[in-house]
Coordinates of all heavy atoms in Angstrom, one line a residue:
M1 N 70.1 68.6 110.8 CA 70.0 69.3 109.6 C 69.9 70.8 110.0 O 70.4 71.6 109.4 CB 68.8 68.8 108.8 CG 68.7 69.5 107.4 SD 69.8 69.0 106.3 CE 69.1 69.6 104.8
Q2 N 68.9 71.1 111.0 CA 68.7 72.5 111.3 C 69.9 73.1 112.0 O 70.1 74.3 111.7 CB 67.5 72.4 112.2 CG 66.7 73.8 112.3 CD 65.5 73.7 113.2 OE1 65.4 72.9 114.0 NE2 64.5 74.4 112.8
K3 N 70.6 72.3 112.8 CA 71.9 72.9 113.4 C 72.9 73.2 112.3 O 73.6 74.3 112.4 CB 72.5 71.9 114.4 CG 71.7 71.7 115.6 CD 72.3 70.8 116.6 CE 71.5 70.5 117.8 NZ 72.2 69.6 118.7
T4 N 73.0 72.4 111.2 CA 74.0 72.7 110.2 C 73.6 74.0 109.5 O 74.5 74.8 109.1 CB 74.0 71.6 109.3 OG1 74.3 70.4 109.9 CG2 75.1 71.7 108.1
T5 N 72.3 74.2 109.2 CA 71.8 75.3 108.5 C 72.1 76.6 109.4 O 72.6 77.6 108.8 CB 70.3 75.2 108.2 OG1 70.1 74.1 107.5 CG2 69.8 76.5 107.5
R6 N 71.8 76.5 110.6 CA 72.1 77.7 111.5 C 73.7 78.1 111.6 O 74.0 79.1 111.5 CB 71.7 77.4 113.0 CG 70.1 77.5 113.2 CD 69.7 77.4 114.6 NE 68.4 76.8 114.7 CZ 67.9 76.2 115.7 NH1 68.7 76.0 116.7 NH2 66.7 75.6 115.7
A7 N 74.5 76.9 111.7 CA 75.8 77.1 111.7 C 76.3 77.9 110.4 O 77.1 78.7 110.4 CB 76.6 75.9 111.9
T8 N 75.8 77.3 109.2 CA 76.1 77.9 108.0 C 75.8 79.4 107.9 O 76.5 80.2 107.4 CB 75.5 77.2 106.8 OG1 76.0 75.8 107.0 CG2 75.9 77.7 105.5
L9 N 74.6 79.7 108.4 CA 74.1 81.1 108.4 C 75.0 82.0 109.2 O 75.3 83.1 109.0 CB 72.7 81.2 108.7 CG 71.7 80.6 107.7 CD1 70.2 80.7 108.2 CD2 71.7 81.5 106.4
A10 N 75.3 81.4 110.3 CA 76.0 82.2 111.2 C 77.5 82.6 110.8 O 78.0 83.7 110.8 CB 76.3 81.5 112.6
I11 N 78.1 81.6 110.1 CA 79.4 81.7 109.5 C 79.3 82.8 108.3 O 80.1 83.7 108.2 CB 80.0 80.4 109.0 CG1 80.4 79.5 110.2 CG2 81.1 80.6 108.0 CD1 80.7 78.1 109.8
A12 N 78.3 82.7 107.5 CA 78.0 83.5 106.4 C 77.9 85.0 106.9 O 78.4 85.9 106.3 CB 76.8 83.2 105.6
A13 N 77.1 85.2 108.0 CA 76.9 86.4 108.6 C 78.2 87.0 109.1 O 78.6 88.3 108.9 CB 75.9 86.3 109.7
L14 N 79.0 86.2 109.7 CA 80.4 86.7 110.2 C 81.2 87.1 109.0 O 81.9 88.2 109.2 CB 81.0 85.7 111.0 CG 80.4 85.4 112.4 CD1 81.1 84.2 113.1 CD2 80.6 86.6 113.3
L15 N 81.3 86.4 108.0 CA 82.1 86.7 106.9 C 81.6 87.9 106.2 O 82.4 88.8 105.8 CB 82.2 85.5 105.8 CG 82.9 84.3 106.3 CD1 82.7 83.1 105.3 CD2 84.3 84.6 106.6
T16 N 80.4 88.1 106.0 CA 79.8 89.3 105.4 C 80.0 90.5 106.2 O 80.4 91.6 105.7 CB 78.3 89.1 105.1 OG1 78.1 87.9 104.4 CG2 77.7 90.3 104.4
A17 N 79.9 90.4 107.6 CA 80.1 91.6 108.5 C 81.6 92.0 108.4 O 81.8 93.2 108.4 CB 79.8 91.2 109.8
G18 N 82.6 91.2 108.3 CA 83.9 91.6 108.2 C 84.2 92.4 106.9 O 85.0 93.4 106.9
S19 N 83.7 91.9 105.8 CA 83.9 92.6 104.6 C 83.1 93.9 104.4 O 83.4 94.8 103.6 CB 83.7 91.7 103.3 OG 82.4 91.3 103.4
A20 N 82.1 94.0 105.2 CA 81.2 95.2 105.1 C 81.9 96.4 105.7 O 81.5 97.6 105.5 CB 79.9 95.0 105.8
Q21 N 83.0 96.3 106.6 CA 83.6 97.4 107.1 C 84.5 98.1 106.2 O 84.8 99.2 106.4 CB 84.4 96.8 108.3 CG 83.6 96.4 109.5 CD 84.3 95.8 110.5 OE1 85.6 95.6 110.5 NE2 83.7 95.3 111.7
A22 N 85.0 97.5 105.2 CA 85.9 98.1 104.2 C 85.0 99.0 103.3 O 83.9 98.6 102.8 CB 86.6 97.1 103.4
V23 N 85.4 100.2 103.1 CA 84.6 101.2 102.4 C 85.5 101.7 101.3 O 86.6 102.2 101.6 CB 84.0 102.3 103.2 CG1 83.3 103.3 102.4 CG2 83.1 101.7 104.3
Q24 N 85.0 101.8 100.1 CA 85.8 102.6 99.0 C 85.6 104.0 99.3 O 84.4 104.5 99.4 CB 85.3 102.2 97.7 CG 85.9 100.9 97.2 CD 85.9 100.7 95.7 OE1 85.0 101.3 95.0 NE2 86.8 99.9 95.1
R25 N 86.6 104.8 99.2 CA 86.6 106.2 99.4 C 87.4 106.8 98.3 O 88.1 106.2 97.6 CB 87.3 106.5 100.7 CG 86.6 106.0 101.9 CD 86.5 106.9 103.1 NE 86.0 106.2 104.3 CZ 84.8 106.4 104.7 NH1 84.0 107.2 104.0 NH2 84.4 105.9 105.7
T26 N 87.2 108.1 98.1 CA 88.0 108.9 97.1 C 88.8 109.9 97.8 O 88.2 110.8 98.6 CB 86.9 109.5 96.1 OG1 86.2 108.5 95.5 CG2 87.8 110.2 95.0
A27 N 90.1 110.1 97.4 CA 91.0 111.1 97.9 C 91.4 111.9 96.7 O 91.7 111.4 95.6 CB 92.1 110.4 98.6
V28 N 91.5 113.1 96.9 CA 92.0 114.1 95.9 C 93.3 114.8 96.4 O 93.4 115.2 97.6 CB 90.9 115.2 95.7 CG1 91.6 116.2 94.6 CG2 89.6 114.7 95.2
L29 N 94.4 114.5 95.6 CA 95.7 114.9 96.0 C 96.1 116.1 95.1 O 95.9 116.2 93.9 CB 96.7 113.8 95.8 CG 96.4 112.5 96.4 CD1 97.5 111.5 96.2 CD2 96.2 112.7 98.0
D30 N 96.8 117.2 95.7 CA 97.4 118.2 94.9 C 98.9 117.7 94.7 O 99.5 117.4 95.6 CB 97.4 119.5 95.7 CG 96.0 120.0 95.7 OD1 95.3 120.1 94.7 OD2 95.5 120.5 96.8
V31 N 99.3 117.6 93.4 CA 100.7 117.1 93.1 C 101.5 118.2 92.5 O 101.0 119.0 91.6 CB 100.6 116.0 92.3 CG1 101.9 115.4 92.0 CG2 99.6 114.9 92.8
K32 N 102.7 118.4 92.9 CA 103.6 119.4 92.4 C 104.7 118.8 91.4 O 104.8 117.6 91.4 CB 104.4 120.2 93.5 CG 103.4 120.9 94.5 CD 104.3 121.7 95.4 CE 103.4 122.4 96.4 NZ 104.2 123.1 97.4
N33 N 105.3 119.7 90.6 CA 106.4 119.2 89.7 C 106.0 118.4 88.5 O 106.7 117.6 88.0 CB 107.5 118.6 90.4 CG 108.1 119.4 91.5 OD1 108.0 120.6 91.5 ND2 108.8 118.8 92.5
V34 N 104.7 118.5 88.2 CA 104.2 117.7 87.0 C 104.3 118.6 85.8 O 103.4 119.3 85.4 CB 102.7 117.3 87.2 CG1 102.2 116.5 86.1 CG2 102.6 116.5 88.6
S35 N 105.5 118.6 85.1 CA 105.8 119.5 84.1 C 106.1 119.0 82.8 O 106.5 119.8 81.9 CB 106.9 120.5 84.7 OG 108.0 119.7 84.9
C36 N 106.1 117.6 82.6 CA 106.5 117.0 81.3 C 105.5 116.0 81.0 O 104.7 115.6 81.8 CB 107.9 116.5 81.3 SG 108.1 115.1 82.5
V37 N 105.6 115.4 79.8 CA 104.7 114.4 79.3 C 104.7 113.2 80.1 O 103.7 112.4 80.1 CB 104.8 114.3 77.8 CG1 106.0 113.5 77.5 CG2 103.6 113.6 77.2
T38 N 105.9 112.9 80.7 CA 106.0 111.6 81.5 C 105.5 111.6 82.9 O 105.5 110.6 83.6 CB 107.4 110.9 81.3 OG1 108.3 111.9 81.8 CG2 107.7 110.7 79.8
C39 N 105.4 112.9 83.4 CA 105.2 113.1 84.9 C 104.0 112.5 85.4 O 104.0 111.8 86.3 CB 105.3 114.5 85.2 SG 106.9 115.4 85.0
A40 N 102.9 112.7 84.7 CA 101.5 112.3 85.2 C 101.4 110.8 85.2 O 101.0 110.2 86.1 CB 100.4 112.9 84.3
P41 N 102.0 110.1 84.1 CA 102.0 108.6 84.2 C 102.9 108.0 85.3 O 102.5 107.1 85.9 CB 102.6 108.2 82.8 CG 102.2 109.4 81.9 CD 102.3 110.6 82.8
V42 N 103.9 108.7 85.7 CA 104.7 108.3 86.8 C 104.0 108.4 88.1 O 104.0 107.5 89.0 CB 106.1 109.0 86.9 CG1 106.9 108.7 88.1 CG2 106.9 108.7 85.6
V43 N 103.3 109.5 88.2 CA 102.5 109.7 89.5 C 101.4 108.7 89.5 O 101.2 108.0 90.7 CB 101.8 111.1 89.5 CG1 100.8 111.3 90.6 CG2 103.0 112.2 89.7
K44 N 100.8 108.5 88.4 CA 99.6 107.5 88.4 C 100.2 106.1 88.8 O 99.5 105.3 89.6 CB 99.0 107.5 87.1 CG 97.8 106.5 86.9 CD 97.2 106.6 85.5 CE 96.1 105.5 85.5 NZ 95.3 105.7 84.2
R45 N 101.3 105.7 88.2 CA 101.9 104.4 88.5 C 102.3 104.2 89.9 O 102.0 103.2 90.6 CB 103.0 104.2 87.5 CG 103.5 102.7 87.6 CD 104.6 102.4 86.5 NE 105.5 103.4 86.2 CZ 105.4 104.2 85.0 NH1 104.5 103.9 84.2 NH2 106.3 105.1 84.8
A46 N 102.9 105.3 90.5 CA 103.4 105.2 91.9 C 102.3 105.1 92.8 O 102.3 104.3 93.8 CB 104.1 106.5 92.2
I47 N 101.2 105.8 92.6 CA 100.0 105.7 93.6 C 99.3 104.4 93.4 O 98.8 103.7 94.3 CB 99.1 106.9 93.3 CG1 99.8 108.2 93.8 CG2 97.8 106.8 94.1 CD1 99.1 109.5 93.5
G48 N 99.2 104.0 92.0 CA 98.5 102.8 91.8 C 99.1 101.5 92.3 O 98.4 100.5 92.5
R49 N 100.3 101.6 92.6 CA 101.0 100.4 93.2 C 100.7 100.2 94.6 O 101.1 99.1 95.2 CB 102.5 100.5 92.9 CG 103.0 100.3 91.5 CD 104.4 100.3 91.4 NE 104.8 100.1 90.0 CZ 105.9 100.4 89.4 NH1 106.9 101.0 90.1 NH2 106.3 100.2 88.2
V50 N 100.2 101.2 95.3 CA 99.9 101.1 96.7 C 98.7 100.1 97.0 O 97.6 100.2 96.3 CB 99.4 102.4 97.3 CG1 99.1 102.4 98.8 CG2 100.6 103.5 97.2
A51 N 98.9 99.2 97.9 CA 97.9 98.1 98.2 C 96.6 98.9 98.6 O 96.6 99.7 99.5 CB 98.4 97.2 99.2
G52 N 95.5 98.5 98.0 CA 94.2 99.0 98.4 C 93.7 100.0 97.4 O 92.5 100.5 97.5
V53 N 94.5 100.4 96.5 CA 94.1 101.5 95.5 C 93.3 100.8 94.3 O 93.8 99.8 93.8 CB 95.3 102.3 94.9 CG1 94.9 103.1 93.7 CG2 96.0 103.1 96.0
T54 N 92.2 101.3 94.1 CA 91.3 100.7 93.0 C 91.5 101.4 91.7 O 91.6 100.8 90.6 CB 89.9 100.9 93.4 OG1 89.6 100.2 94.7 CG2 88.9 100.1 92.4
S55 N 91.6 102.7 91.7 CA 91.8 103.5 90.4 C 92.5 104.7 90.7 O 92.3 105.4 91.8 CB 90.5 103.6 89.7 OG 89.7 104.6 90.4
V56 N 93.2 105.3 89.7 CA 93.8 106.6 89.9 C 93.7 107.3 88.6 O 93.9 106.8 87.4 CB 95.4 106.5 90.1 CG1 96.1 107.8 90.2 CG2 95.7 105.5 91.3
T57 N 93.4 108.6 88.7 CA 93.3 109.5 87.5 C 94.2 110.7 87.8 O 94.1 111.2 89.0 CB 92.0 109.9 87.0 OG1 91.4 110.5 88.0 CG2 91.1 108.8 86.6
V58 N 95.0 111.2 86.9 CA 95.8 112.3 87.1 C 95.5 113.3 86.0 O 95.7 113.1 84.9 CB 97.3 112.0 87.1 CG1 98.2 113.2 87.4 CG2 97.6 111.0 88.2
A59 N 95.0 114.6 86.4 CA 94.7 115.6 85.5 C 95.8 116.7 85.7 O 95.9 117.3 86.8 CB 93.3 116.1 85.8
E60 N 96.6 116.9 84.6 CA 97.7 118.0 84.6 C 97.0 119.4 84.5 O 96.0 119.5 83.8 CB 98.6 117.7 83.5 CG 99.3 116.5 83.6 CD 100.3 116.2 82.4 OE1 101.2 117.0 82.2 OE2 100.1 115.2 81.7
K61 N 97.6 120.3 85.2 CA 97.2 121.7 85.0 C 98.3 122.4 84.3 O 99.4 122.1 84.3 CB 96.9 122.3 86.4 CG 95.7 121.6 87.0 CD 95.5 121.9 88.6 CE 95.5 123.4 88.9 NZ 95.3 123.7 90.3
A62 N 98.1 123.6 83.8 CA 99.0 124.5 83.0 C 100.2 125.0 83.9 O 101.2 125.3 83.4 CB 98.3 125.6 82.3
D63 N 99.9 125.1 85.2 CA 100.9 125.6 86.1 C 102.0 124.7 86.6 O 102.7 125.0 87.6 CB 100.3 126.4 87.2 CG 99.5 125.4 88.1 OD1 99.4 124.2 87.8 OD2 99.0 125.9 89.2
G64 N 102.1 123.5 86.1 CA 103.1 122.5 86.5 C 102.6 121.7 87.6 O 103.4 121.0 88.4
T65 N 101.3 121.8 88.0 CA 100.8 120.9 89.0 C 99.8 119.9 88.5 O 99.5 120.0 87.3 CB 100.2 121.7 90.1 OG1 99.0 122.4 89.6 CG2 101.2 122.7 90.8
A66 N 99.3 119.0 89.2 CA 98.2 118.1 88.8 C 97.3 117.8 90.0 O 97.6 118.0 91.2 CB 98.8 116.9 88.4
I67 N 96.2 117.4 89.6 CA 95.2 116.8 90.6 C 95.0 115.3 90.4 O 94.8 114.8 89.3 CB 93.7 117.4 90.4 CG1 93.8 119.0 90.4 CG2 92.8 116.9 91.4 CD1 94.2 119.5 91.7
A68 N 95.4 114.6 91.4 CA 95.2 113.1 91.4 C 94.0 112.7 92.2 O 93.8 113.1 93.3 CB 96.4 112.4 92.0
T69 N 93.1 112.0 91.5 CA 91.9 111.5 92.1 C 92.1 110.0 92.3 O 92.2 109.2 91.3 CB 90.7 111.8 91.3 OG1 90.7 113.2 91.0 CG2 89.4 111.4 92.0
V70 N 92.0 109.5 93.5 CA 92.3 108.1 93.9 C 91.1 107.5 94.5 O 90.6 108.0 95.5 CB 93.5 108.0 94.8 CG1 93.9 106.6 95.0 CG2 94.7 108.8 94.2
V71 N 90.7 106.3 94.0 CA 89.6 105.5 94.7 C 90.4 104.4 95.4 O 91.2 103.7 94.8 CB 88.7 104.9 93.6 CG1 87.6 104.1 94.5 CG2 87.9 106.1 92.9
Y72 N 90.2 104.3 96.7 CA 90.9 103.3 97.5 C 90.0 102.6 98.6 O 89.0 103.1 98.9 CB 92.1 104.0 98.1 CG 91.7 105.0 99.2 CD1 91.6 104.7 100.5 CD2 91.2 106.3 98.8 CE1 91.2 105.6 101.5 CE2 90.9 107.2 99.7 CZ 90.9 107.0 101.0 OH 90.4 107.9 102.0
D73 N 90.6 101.5 99.1 CA 89.8 100.8 100.2 C 90.4 101.3 101.5 O 91.5 101.2 101.7 CB 90.1 99.4 100.0 CG 89.6 98.3 101.1 OD1 89.2 98.9 102.1 OD2 89.6 97.2 100.8
D74 N 89.5 101.9 102.3 CA 90.0 102.5 103.5 C 90.4 101.6 104.6 O 91.0 102.0 105.6 CB 88.9 103.5 104.0 CG 87.7 102.9 104.6 OD1 87.4 101.7 104.4 OD2 86.9 103.6 105.3
A75 N 90.1 100.3 104.5 CA 90.6 99.3 105.5 C 92.1 98.9 105.1 O 92.7 98.3 106.0 CB 89.7 98.0 105.3
K76 N 92.6 99.3 103.8 CA 93.9 98.8 103.5 C 94.9 100.1 103.5 O 96.2 99.8 103.6 CB 93.9 98.1 102.2 CG 93.2 96.8 102.2 CD 93.2 96.2 100.8 CE 92.4 94.9 100.9 NZ 92.3 94.2 99.6
V77 N 94.4 101.2 103.2 CA 95.3 102.4 103.0 C 94.7 103.7 103.5 O 93.6 103.8 103.5 CB 95.8 102.4 101.6 CG1 94.7 102.8 100.7 CG2 97.0 103.4 101.4
R78 N 95.6 104.6 103.9 CA 95.2 105.9 104.3 C 95.5 106.9 103.3 O 96.5 106.7 102.6 CB 95.9 106.3 105.7 CG 95.4 105.3 106.8 CD 94.4 106.0 107.6 NE 93.2 105.3 108.0 CZ 92.1 104.9 107.4 NH1 91.9 104.9 106.2 NH2 91.1 104.4 108.0
P79 N 94.9 108.0 103.2 CA 95.1 109.0 102.1 C 96.5 109.5 102.2 O 97.2 109.8 101.2 CB 94.1 110.1 102.4 CG 92.9 109.4 103.0 CD 93.6 108.4 103.8
E80 N 97.1 109.7 103.4 CA 98.5 110.2 103.6 C 99.5 109.3 102.9 O 100.5 109.7 102.4 CB 98.7 110.3 105.1 CG 97.9 111.4 105.7 CD 96.5 110.9 106.1 OE1 96.1 109.7 106.0 OE2 95.7 111.9 106.3
A81 N 99.2 108.0 102.9 CA 100.1 107.0 102.3 C 100.1 107.2 100.8 O 101.1 107.0 100.1 CB 99.8 105.6 102.6
L82 N 98.9 107.6 100.2 CA 98.8 107.9 98.8 C 99.7 109.0 98.4 O 100.4 109.0 97.4 CB 97.4 108.1 98.3 CG 96.4 107.0 98.8 CD1 95.0 107.4 98.5 CD2 96.7 105.7 98.1
A83 N 99.6 110.0 99.2 CA 100.4 111.2 99.0 C 101.8 111.0 99.1 O 102.7 111.4 98.4 CB 100.0 112.4 100.0
Q84 N 102.3 110.1 100.0 CA 103.6 109.7 100.2 C 104.1 108.9 99.1 O 105.3 109.1 98.7 CB 103.8 108.9 101.6 CG 105.2 108.7 102.0 CD 106.0 110.0 102.3 OE1 105.5 110.8 103.0 NE2 107.1 110.1 101.7
A85 N 103.3 108.1 98.5 CA 103.8 107.4 97.4 C 104.2 108.3 96.2 O 105.2 108.1 95.5 CB 102.8 106.4 96.9
S86 N 103.4 109.3 96.0 CA 103.7 110.3 94.9 C 105.0 111.1 95.3 O 105.8 111.3 94.5 CB 102.5 111.3 94.7 OG 102.8 112.2 93.8
T87 N 105.1 111.5 96.5 CA 106.2 112.2 97.0 C 107.4 111.4 96.8 O 108.6 112.0 96.4 CB 106.0 112.6 98.5 OG1 104.9 113.5 98.6 CG2 107.2 113.4 99.1
D88 N 107.4 110.1 97.2 CA 108.6 109.3 97.1 C 109.0 109.0 95.6 O 110.2 108.8 95.4 CB 108.2 107.9 97.7 CG 108.2 107.9 99.2 OD1 108.5 109.0 99.8 OD2 107.7 106.9 99.8
A89 N 108.1 109.2 94.7 CA 108.4 109.1 93.3 C 108.9 110.4 92.7 O 109.2 110.6 91.6 CB 107.1 108.7 92.5
G90 N 109.1 111.5 93.5 CA 109.6 112.8 93.2 C 108.6 113.8 92.8 O 109.0 114.9 92.4
Y91 N 107.3 113.5 93.2 CA 106.2 114.5 92.9 C 105.6 114.8 94.2 O 104.6 114.1 94.5 CB 105.3 113.9 91.9 CG 106.1 113.7 90.5 CD1 106.6 112.4 90.3 CD2 106.3 114.7 89.6 CE1 107.3 112.1 89.2 CE2 106.9 114.4 88.4 CZ 107.4 113.1 88.2 OH 108.2 112.9 87.0
P92 N 106.1 115.8 94.9 CA 105.4 116.1 96.2 C 103.9 116.3 96.1 O 103.4 117.0 95.2 CB 106.0 117.4 96.6 CG 107.4 117.5 95.8 CD 107.1 116.8 94.6
A93 N 103.1 115.7 97.1 CA 101.7 115.7 97.1 C 101.2 115.8 98.4 O 101.8 115.5 99.4 CB 101.2 114.4 96.4
R94 N 100.0 116.4 98.5 CA 99.3 116.6 99.8 C 97.9 116.3 99.6 O 97.3 116.5 98.4 CB 99.5 117.9 100.4 CG 98.9 119.1 99.6 CD 99.1 120.4 100.4 NE 98.4 121.5 99.7 CZ 97.1 121.8 99.7 NH1 96.3 121.0 100.4 NH2 96.7 122.7 99.0
V95 N 97.2 115.8 100.6 CA 95.8 115.3 100.5 C 95.0 116.7 100.5 O 95.3 117.5 101.5 CB 95.4 114.4 101.6 CG1 93.8 114.2 101.5 CG2 96.2 113.2 101.6
R96 N 94.2 116.9 99.7 CA 93.3 118.1 99.6 C 92.2 117.9 100.6 O 91.6 116.9 100.8 CB 92.7 118.2 98.2 CG 91.8 119.5 98.1 CD 91.2 119.6 96.7 NE 92.3 120.1 95.7 CZ 91.9 120.4 94.5 NH1 90.7 120.2 94.0 NH2 92.9 120.8 93.7
A97 N 92.0 119.0 101.4 CA 91.0 119.0 102.4 C 89.5 118.9 101.8 O 89.4 119.7 100.8 CB 91.0 120.1 103.4
N98 N 88.7 118.1 102.2 CA 87.3 118.1 101.8 C 86.5 119.2 102.1 O 86.3 119.7 103.2 CB 86.7 116.8 102.1 CG 87.3 115.6 101.3 OD1 88.1 115.9 100.3 ND2 87.1 114.4 101.7

């Protein structure tokens, strides 16, 4: 019985340790060409489709640009891939330096 309990605890510790490495992070992207009412939703949808993205908000600015704030799992995606998703949708983006 004691061996089973130890084995169960060891397996649980290994499973927990693996998932503890993934961290939710936030990336802020500067997005260009956001000049119409449908642009921001397209950017949001394009970035939101990337595996590992938890949430996306896109705030339009008066100068035809936008700020995209993205919460993502850093074990699944890199910020550069988020910017690339927006760029591929026709809205060039770059990761804002922190």
Side-chain angles (χ1 to χ4, degrees):
M1 179 82 161
Q2 205 172 28
K3 287 182 183 181
T4 304
T5 303
R6 282 189 210 153
T8 302
L9 289 173
I11 291 170
L14 287 173
L15 292 174
T16 304
S19 61
Q21 293 177 353
V23 176
Q24 278 200 336
R25 301 212 185 264
T26 301
V28 179
L29 310 176
D30 290 314
V31 186
K32 295 181 180 180
N33 300 340
V34 182
S35 58
C36 70
V37 73
T38 61
C39 294
V42 171
V43 171
K44 182 176 180 176
R45 187 171 39 254
I47 296 170
R49 288 181 176 163
V50 176
V53 171
T54 304
S55 69
V56 182
T57 58
V58 179
E60 296 177 62
K61 294 168 51 177
D63 64 354
T65 64
I67 304 294
T69 304
V70 186
V71 178
Y72 65 97
D73 179 342
D74 74 344
K76 295 181 180 179
V77 66
R78 295 267 140 281
E80 296 76 17
L82 305 173
Q84 189 62 49
S86 179
T87 300
D88 290 347
Y91 301 91
R94 67 176 179 80
V95 179
R96 184 181 279 187
N98 292 345

